[in-house]
Amino acid sequence: DDAVRDLAVSILAKAGYRVIVARDGEEAIQLFQQNQDGIDLALLDAIMPKKNGRMVYDFIRMRRSKMPVLFSTGYGFNILKNVHLPDDGIQLIGKPYGPRELLQKVREVLDTGPELTD
C-alpha cells in the first residue's frame, strides 16, 4: 500500500536512516542487486505485488545469508507462516504500527540481528 510504505519511509528517514524504496518485489530484488553492499537491513512486506516478501527474502539470503530482515504484515502470523514467511526465526512487525514501534523494532533487529558480514 502506497500510504503505508510512504509513512514508513518518512518515519525512518526522519530518524536518520537512508531508505531505498521498492514498490514491488521485483523492484526490491533489482534495488538489492544494485545496492547490496550498502544495505544493513531489509524491511519487507509479506505480501507484495510481482514477488512476495518470501521470494525477496530467499533472494537476499542467497547473496547475504546473515543480513537482518524484518517482515511487516497486516495478516496473522499463523495465516502466512507456511506460504509467505520463512521458518528460520524471522523478525516480524504487525501492521498497523506507530512510528515509535517501527523505530524500536528496526533498532532491535539491527542491534540483535546476525552479523552483517558473510
Side-chain angles (χ1 to χ4, degrees), residues 35-42 64 66-69 109-110 114 116:
N35 300 284
Q36 64 183 314
D37 293 334
I39 298 174
D40 294 329
L41 172 112
R64 289 193 47 205
K66 297 182 180 185
M67 190 177 92
V69 175
V109 173
L110 286 169
L116 297 177

Side-chain angles (χ1 to χ4, degrees), residues 29 50-60 84:
I29 287 173
K50 298 186 181 177
K51 293 193 183 292
N52 66 34
R54 173 64 184 266
M55 293 172 170
V56 177
Y57 172 88
D58 289 343
F59 183 88
I60 289 170
H84 297 287

